Every structure is written in structure tokens, then in C-alpha cells.
Amino acid sequence: MQVTDFDPSQASDAQLSQWREVLNAMTEADMPGEPRWQLDQLRDYLSVTMPGEHRYAFVARENDAADSRIIGHANLLLLADDFDDTGVFEIFVHPGARGHGVGRTLLREVARRAAVEGRGTIGVEVIATTPAVDFYDRLGFSRAVVENRHLLAMDRVDWDAVSANAGRVAAGYRLEYHHDGLPDGLLERYAAIKATLKAEPATNIGAWRGSADVQRLRDSLETLKARGLRSHLVVAINEPTGAVVGLTELVVAAQRPTRGDQYDTVVAPEHGSYGLGLAMKARMLTELREHEPQLRDVQTWTAIDGDPHAHVDAELGFRNDVQWYEYETVVSDVLYRLN
């Protein structure tokens, strides 16, 4: 087995196909109900990052020959700004290559690169029903966050009820829908509510997605588009003041076009009694029905110790199906254990 650096922007189409084959084989073995990855804009998805961030990738091959098949791969994303001491990574090993140290070798490369880049910690997301749980438990990773993943099957949506909820907007408010970006006049107001709510413990649940200033928000939306992720945004506006008082975000990836990924949903506390959360998420579903007719389901996450929008998800028909763990470890510690 040989592990080498991998540059997706320069990789051949055949190499990208092998990368995808490993991921889809692992998905088939461990998560058969999950959508398979496609090649559409896969190169962009693996290559493009936010300004200030950097992604390193590695592949494991069967032997030392340059043209031998890829049997595993990993990537490490070095975050920026408030998270410049950490990195997040992923490791995927073909089921047929398990038990031969491929995962450990890839993790060692990830940790070494993180150390070279001066990162103190690294983290990874793991689905609770997969063999990855035992892998990271044995290597001393700690579970920093445990979340419930919920799925909504689009063919089981009560569209009459959803349409009614989307129209139940209290007097003095209006909803706006935008896709693949925001008009310039809305960017500052949109970022302002995120900056305010970022400091609210009751709303800062899970991984905050870091678009709480205008430039970073603009960069975030442009990066999503460049990576092949179509953004869908619904905002609640207080008409007397013009302020954005609520928002919900969702993306659909060209690489997995049958699934929608819910991002942040937030409502300013002083406007939380007007049913805006339900109205916004219902409006989102009606827009997805029109703009993303190929969608089979939508996934979202809630914290196990409570979430202000859990009742909204339940009313719309989301159902809990599995837990997700966010593992983390100190880089020097995992290198010691691996060596």
C-alpha cells in the first residue's frame, strides 16, 4: 500500500471516478439508504475552499505503482478566523480493503499535515451506526457533539398543510425566497442577524456556519456555488423596520442532487412567538418542490439536549433516523497513539 498527496484540481477523470467508487462502495456497505455520489462538479467540490481556508487530500493505493487503484482517501480542511487552531477531516476506505491498516495510515497523514500546519486539534463527523465509531473510539477521540439526524421524504409531505403553514405569516412580517445568492441590499441585514444570534446560547446549536459578517457571507455563498452546491434561502423581514428577523438555509449538491441539506434556521428571540420558524421552513419546502423536483428527501440535525425548532421539524413531517457524532482529538495525542 502507498499513500500519497492528491490534488483534485489536477487529477484525471479516471482518478476522480476511482475516488467516487471508494466512497460509493463504503456507502453501500455501511449506509445503504444514503444517496450515491455522482461525478457532476466533483472536481469543484473537492478543490474549491473559502478564502483563507485550505484543503489537503491524500489517497491510498493498492501498491507502489502510480497507476494502481485507489482503495482509500482522506482530506483535511484547515479552517480560518475563529477556528484557525483546528481542522476537520474525512477518511473513506473501500470495504474490501479494511483490516489492513489503510484507515490508520491515512489518519497518520492527516494528523502529520495538521501538525506541520500548526493545528492543535482535528475533528471528524461520524454516523453512529457505522464501523467508524469503533475506529475513532479505539484511537482515543472524544465525542464533542452528539446530534440527531432527521429525514423528510418528499413523497410523504402533506403539501396542503405545508402550503397553509407557508402562508401563515403574522401581520407586520413578510417572507422572501432567494436562490444561489442574496441581493446586495439584503446582505448586510442578513449578516446582522447572524452576528447577533451567534452569541445567543439558545440559538447557537451545533456547528455555526460562520457567515456573520457581510464579506464572509458573500464569500460563503460564492464558494457554495463554485463547489456545485445550490443555495436556497428564506428570510423573514419585519416590515416596520426592514430588519431581517429570521432565516433558514438549505443547499442541494450537484454531486448528490436527490438530497437537500438543511443549514441554519434562526429567529430573533424577540420575534420568536410569531410562528416564523414554521412559516419559513414550510415556504422552503414549497420552493424546493418547484426548483428541485428531483429531490427525494431533506436532512436536518438537532441537538440531543433540546432544539428550539424541533417541534417545527416534527410538524412538517421530519423523522429521526440516526445519531451523528462529532469527534475531536489533540493532534499530538493521536500521533503518539498511532506511532
Side-chain angles (χ1 to χ4, degrees), residues 164-177:
N165 283 322
R168 291 194 181 106
V169 182
Y173 298 92
R174 74 174 187 275
L175 302 185
E176 291 185 5
Y177 165 74

Side-chain angles (χ1 to χ4, degrees), residues 15-328:
Q15 289 171 332
L16 288 176
S17 292
Q18 290 182 32
W19 189 101
R20 182 186 68 124
E21 288 170 9
V22 169
L23 179 53
N24 282 342
M26 188 210 72
T27 302
E28 176 65 30
D30 298 341
M31 302 165 289
E34 297 295 291
R36 304 301 184 265
W37 285 68
Q38 301 182 9
L39 288 172
D40 293 353
Q41 285 193 260
L42 182 58
R43 189 186 307 276
D44 298 328
Y45 180 86
L46 296 174
S47 304
V48 177
T49 62
M50 285 277 289
E53 298 181 349
H54 190 83
R55 180 179 286 108
Y56 293 100
F58 312 91
V59 293
R61 300 182 182 276
E62 290 177 319
N63 53 55
D64 292 343
D67 60 349
S68 64
R69 292 198 65 82
I70 295 173
I71 57 175
H73 49 75
N75 67 80
L76 168 68
L77 177 63
L78 300 181
L79 303 174
D81 299 327
D82 294 342
F83 304 99
D84 61 1
D85 187 50
T86 192
V88 294
F89 71 93
E90 298 173 304
I91 293 177
F92 305 102
V93 177
H94 194 288
R98 288 173 177 169
H100 300 284
V102 178
R104 290 177 64 93
T105 304
L106 285 167
L107 178 58
R108 184 179 292 111
E109 290 302 312
V110 165
R112 284 175 176 170
R113 188 60 54 87
V116 168
E117 296 294 332
R119 303 301 166 115
T121 62
I122 50 176
V124 61
E125 288 189 351
V126 173
I127 298 179
T129 56
T130 63
V133 171
D134 181 59
F135 177 76
Y136 292 111
D137 281 344
R138 284 187 287 108
L139 286 169
F141 281 70
S142 61
R143 295 178 194 174
V145 177
V146 179
E147 294 181 304
N148 292 316
R149 200 271 296 271
H150 306 265
L151 283 178
L152 173 64
M154 295 296 279
D155 62 359
R156 296 183 181 179
V157 172
D158 183 341
W159 289 109
D160 289 338
V162 165
S163 297
N165 283 322
R168 291 194 181 106
V169 182
Y173 298 92
R174 74 174 187 275
L175 302 185
E176 291 185 5
Y177 165 74
H178 301 276
H179 61 90
D180 283 337
L182 288 167
D184 285 343
L186 196 58
L187 278 168
E188 187 170 348
R189 287 178 286 158
Y190 191 98
I193 186 176
K194 283 207 162 191
T196 300
L197 297 181
K198 186 175 181 180
E200 291 283 343
T203 57
N204 187 12
I205 294 172
W208 191 267
R209 297 181 188 270
S211 52
D213 65 77
V214 174
Q215 187 56 53
R216 187 161 178 81
L217 174 59
R218 183 181 285 110
D219 291 342
S220 176
L221 293 170
E222 291 177 354
T223 300
L224 286 173
K225 189 173 183 178
R227 296 185 73 205
L229 280 68
R230 300 185 291 273
S231 62
H232 299 269
L233 312 168
V234 174
V235 298
I237 296 176
N238 179 244
E239 292 187 310
T241 65
V244 173
V245 297
L247 59 91
T248 188
E249 307 165 328
L250 184 141
V251 300
V252 178
Q255 303 82 15
R256 294 199 308 169
T258 61
R259 169 159 294 172
D261 289 306
Q262 180 75 57
Y263 281 15
D264 290 328
T265 297
V266 291
V267 177
E270 62 270 27
H271 299 272
S273 62
Y274 295 96
L276 295 176
L278 177 59
M280 289 190 303
K281 296 194 84 166
R283 171 70 179 275
M284 176 69 78
L285 290 175
T286 65
E287 297 293 349
L288 292 175
R289 189 185 192 189
E290 176 181 352
H291 292 91
E292 303 280 0
Q294 81 290 341
L295 275 185
R296 295 179 184 172
D297 54 35
V298 173
Q299 64 181 1
T300 188
W301 292 265
T302 59
I304 60 171
D305 56 353
D307 188 290
H309 300 290
H311 70 287
V312 170
D313 293 336
E315 185 163 346
L316 292 172
F318 282 85
R319 296 292 180 265
N320 185 317
D321 73 324
V322 71
Q323 286 189 336
W324 284 55
Y325 302 150
E326 290 185 20
Y327 278 103
E328 66 179 25

